[in-house]
Amino acid sequence: MIKIIKAQPVPKAQVECKNCKSILEYENVDLELHRSYMSGTYRYQFKCPVCKLFVDAEWLEDNKPQ
């Protein structure tokens, strides 16, 4: 069981959707891990709520799988 000693605000970041140019704010819980079919690498992404296309996370507090 994890015991919270002192809770801190969840880190957030802002990014511009390259498709619709909306400015979006996201945090770790919004991210999904997707595999690129072209390169075979993994990326953390989230779906833009405006245009519904995936946006690459430029910042996150997590380690990508090896």
Side-chain angles (χ1 to χ4, degrees):
M1 173 189 253
I2 298 173
K3 180 178 178 182
I4 301 170
I5 305 302
K6 180 180 177 186
Q8 298 292 332
V10 176
K12 297 177 183 179
Q14 290 184 358
V15 65
E16 180 181 76
C17 175
K18 293 179 181 166
N19 182 58
C20 70
K21 307 300 183 202
S22 296
I23 304 297
L24 308 168
E25 183 174 86
Y26 66 95
E27 56 189 60
N28 292 5
V29 70
D30 301 314
L31 302 177
E32 299 174 6
L33 189 60
H34 292 264
R35 184 173 185 261
S36 170
Y37 293 106
M38 299 295 284
S39 65
T41 60
Y42 289 88
R43 295 183 191 159
Y44 282 102
Q45 300 176 321
F46 62 93
K47 192 178 282 188
C48 175
V50 178
C51 69
K52 308 300 186 217
L53 293 181
F54 282 102
V55 177
D56 287 337
E58 296 176 357
W59 166 91
L60 64 141
E61 279 290 320
D62 195 2
N63 293 319
K64 291 184 181 181
Q66 301 300 331

